[in-house]
Amino acid sequence: PPTTASAATAPRPASMEPSPPERAVPLLQPPHQPRRRRPRPLQTPSSSSSSSSPPPSPSSPSSPPAAAARVAAAMLSISLLLVLSLSGGGSGVRVAPALAAAASAEMAQDEAIILPRRSPRHHQQLMSQRQQQTTGRGSLRPPSSASSSFSRLSGMGMVGGGCLGSKPVDVEPPKPFLVYEHDRTDSAITLSWESIKRANFYELQFQAPSGEWRSIFNGTGNFCRKRNLEPDTTYSFRMRYKRDGNFSEFTPALELDTLTEQLASTRMSMPTAESIDGETIRILWNRPPRTLKSEIQVKDEEGGPWMTVSSDVAGASARKRGLKAGHGYIFRTRCLNRETFGWTAYSEPTEIVRTKSLHPIFKELFGTKLTNAEGDEVPVDSLAGKVVALYFSAHWCPPCRKFTPALAEFYRQAKSAGRNFEIVFISQDQDNYDFRNYLSSMPWVAVPFRNARLRQSLPARFNLRGIPTLKIMSPKGEMVSEDGIREALSVDKIARWEKSGAY
């Protein structure tokens, strides 16, 4: 075999000669697509005998720049035809079939040509030239008509964000202004209504049977009581408001009957309502003898309609949950007699009872949503009015797993004693599986594991040195215990913190 030196100096075989360079790809053709050739027309005897034609000049129709211009013009024509066909459906405008066929033929003839990039100014010039060429054909509208048709499409909601066919935005209609019943006796009717933004005056009118409308309230507020009425009589009420110096239309007439004297004798006394926390109010009432069940209704302090909470309450107390923190509510009840199977009259409505407000620091610490062992979302407003303990712990920590059962037992004792006490678990685990597995053994709430920003910022905010750590805050957001693990906790101590730090 030849050596390395002899191989280097040996003449190169014919098969190893460098191949000739490939043909350059045209600039108008993408390098990954072969150039499509236009089919050659059939040769007639006269044309075959003629000499070969000279090469096409750059200005001839068959040159690539001219073909590209024709394709751009054809595309522009089709776009204008589409816009005009959409805008002129009912105005008698029709697209000329010959022009559409000609545009399609131009596209089919030059479909192998790839258009180069053009500047916006060049595109505008090309568009104006094409509009000038097609204005006199009778098939396209002048530019002014086209722009007006486009404006009409925009007003119809068919154009959004500069694109034809965009879905219009649904606007919720304003809430109608109505007047509602608030309370009824055999001699008086109380009405309520919701406030209207920027309204500075309300007028309530009253109509007796076979009487005329007359005003009984002129001013501001949400409630009005009409006295000195006849029992078991129908009365009509309507209302309007004044805003920006103009009166609104009157509401539809609301017809209400005063109670009969027999039904008024079954009217219950006013219930008692007290706020438990930021989302719960407890209602208690005097249950008449031979009562089968009770019904509870709630109304917003702003004067809206009555909403039934439950019509099947067996006892004489109930709790309404899911309320807004710091908001006011009104309640009333009635009972079903087990012998006559008739409902009593509704009780007198309670005064406005306001849920406890949540200190802003708790939303800053925990966000707006917490979670529990079942995976349900718990609003942070549920912490309003409560002593809150921050429990820093992790599943991988043996001392934490040993302390958690003892803390859970104390938590149940505080809840059984009626204390407003809550624990928020702030996990230091590394994955969601360990977080969920550990939270399943806890009867309290936790910061969601997906909220990593809050979970990672809280240890530094409270100068955390190790886990487990328990820090306790009053309802006012004040720190009452820096180390709840080493401090001897008791139910009485929780009650003292709860009363002294009410927010």
Side-chain angles (χ1 to χ4, degrees):
T3 61
T4 306
S6 61
T9 57
R12 184 184 299 272
S15 60
M16 297 181 62
E17 291 293 331
S19 58
E22 298 182 357
R23 185 167 56 90
V25 180
L27 294 178
L28 298 179
Q29 181 88 4
H32 62 277
Q33 292 183 0
R35 182 179 179 87
R36 297 180 57 182
R37 295 186 177 181
R38 191 177 304 170
R40 185 174 297 177
L42 295 176
Q43 297 288 339
T44 59
S46 59
S47 61
S48 61
S49 60
S50 61
S51 59
S52 59
S53 60
S57 61
S59 61
S60 62
S62 59
S63 61
R70 290 203 313 274
V71 172
M75 293 174 63
L76 179 61
S77 300
I78 294 176
S79 301
L80 291 176
L81 291 175
L82 177 60
V83 172
L84 293 177
S85 62
L86 289 175
S87 62
S91 59
V93 178
R94 296 293 182 267
V95 179
L99 182 58
S104 301
E106 289 181 0
M107 288 291 296
Q109 183 180 6
D110 299 315
E111 61 181 355
I113 304 298
I114 307 300
L115 292 177
R117 291 183 177 270
R118 302 289 186 182
S119 63
R121 182 177 180 181
H122 174 81
H123 190 70
Q124 293 177 359
Q125 294 177 355
L126 184 61
M127 181 181 293
S128 60
Q129 293 176 3
R130 188 60 180 177
Q131 288 178 351
Q132 294 175 2
Q133 294 174 2
T134 58
T135 300
R137 297 187 181 182
S139 60
L140 294 178
R141 294 181 180 180
S144 59
S145 302
S147 60
S148 62
S149 63
F150 187 82
S151 302
R152 187 169 64 254
L153 287 175
S154 303
M156 295 170 59
M158 297 180 61
V159 179
C163 301
L164 287 172
S166 299
K167 185 178 179 181
V169 178
D170 296 331
V171 179
E172 184 178 355
K175 190 176 181 180
F177 176 65
L178 298 173
V179 61
Y180 306 99
E181 173 219 349
H182 181 70
D183 186 28
R184 283 187 296 165
T185 66
D186 57 346
S187 61
I189 294 179
T190 306
L191 298 107
S192 65
W193 55 90
E194 294 179 314
S195 300
I196 299 296
K197 292 183 178 180
R198 304 194 316 275
N200 54 6
F201 186 84
Y202 297 92
E203 180 186 1
L204 178 63
Q205 291 189 352
F206 156 83
Q207 184 184 40
S210 65
E212 296 182 354
W213 289 102
R214 58 189 182 90
S215 297
I216 59 174
F217 178 85
N218 292 278
T220 59
N222 298 88
F223 299 90
C224 178
R225 187 174 188 181
K226 175 58 180 169
R227 306 174 188 267
N228 302 323
L229 302 179
E230 297 294 330
D232 195 17
T233 306
T234 302
Y235 297 92
S236 300
F237 301 87
R238 67 180 185 180
M239 196 169 192
R240 63 178 180 174
Y241 62 89
K242 187 176 183 180
R243 181 171 61 183
D244 299 333
N246 299 318
F247 274 105
S248 67
E249 298 291 336
F250 278 104
T251 62
L254 175 65
E255 296 184 352
L256 296 174
D257 298 333
T258 53
L259 302 181
T260 63
E261 294 181 354
Q262 180 181 0
L263 185 59
S265 63
T266 65
R267 180 178 167 88
M268 300 171 56
S269 59
M270 180 191 300
T272 301
E274 59 178 352
S275 175
I276 302 299
D277 52 39
E279 65 167 3
T280 308
I281 292 179
R282 181 170 56 189
I283 310 101
L284 302 96
W285 61 93
N286 295 326
R287 188 182 181 194
R290 298 180 296 277
T291 295
L292 181 63
K293 60 181 180 179
S294 302
E295 179 182 279
I296 306 174
Q297 288 190 338
V298 62
K299 170 182 283 196
D300 191 273
E301 67 173 340
E302 296 178 355
W306 285 105
M307 306 295 293
T308 300
V309 177
S310 176
S311 299
D312 196 16
V313 181
S317 64
R319 294 192 179 194
K320 177 66 176 90
R321 302 181 185 274
L323 304 176
K324 297 179 182 179
H327 207 69
Y329 297 91
I330 306 171
F331 296 87
R332 70 178 183 179
T333 60
R334 67 174 180 172
C335 296
L336 180 67
N337 190 288
R338 68 172 64 250
E339 295 180 356
T340 63
F341 289 98
W343 289 98
T344 64
Y346 279 108
S347 66
E348 182 182 355
T350 65
E351 299 292 336
I352 296 177
V353 183
R354 197 172 301 277
T355 54
K356 295 183 178 179
S357 300
L358 180 69
H359 196 279
I361 193 174
F362 292 110
K363 285 190 176 181
E364 181 183 345
L365 293 176
F366 309 129
T368 59
K369 297 292 183 181
L370 300 172
T371 186
N372 56 17
E374 290 76 20
D376 302 328
E377 286 189 349
V378 180
V380 74
D381 289 338
S382 62
L383 303 178
K386 294 182 179 180
V387 176
V388 180
L390 285 70
Y391 184 39
F392 296 88
S393 184
H395 183 266
W396 50 263
C397 171
C400 298
R401 296 197 304 269
K402 184 178 180 180
F403 175 73
T404 298
L407 182 61
E409 182 62 27
F410 173 77
Y411 176 83
R412 295 186 182 95
Q413 292 178 4
K415 287 292 188 180
S416 300
R419 300 276 65 88
N420 289 330
F421 177 61
E422 190 58 62
I423 300 176
V424 179
F425 169 47
I426 304 169
S427 175
Q428 304 302 305
D429 290 303
Q430 302 300 321
D431 56 74
N432 188 45
Y433 176 80
D434 290 341
F435 166 76
R436 279 293 166 192
N437 189 21
Y438 196 23
L439 183 60
S440 62
S441 62
M442 301 178 182
W444 47 74
V445 296
V447 176
F449 186 82
R450 65 177 179 272
N451 201 340
R453 182 183 62 82
L454 287 178
R455 290 191 302 104
Q456 296 171 3
S457 63
L458 290 177
R461 178 166 183 167
F462 291 96
N463 298 323
L464 192 67
R465 297 179 179 274
I467 54 175
T469 298
L470 188 68
K471 295 184 179 293
I472 304 176
M473 303 178 69
S474 70
K476 281 187 175 181
E478 300 171 349
M479 188 67 64
V480 294
S481 177
E482 290 284 352
D483 192 351
I485 295 179
R486 292 179 174 82
E487 183 176 351
L489 296 180
S490 64
V491 176
D492 295 338
K493 189 174 291 187
I494 297 295
R496 188 164 60 252
W497 289 335
E498 177 186 348
K499 294 179 181 179
S500 62
Y503 179 66

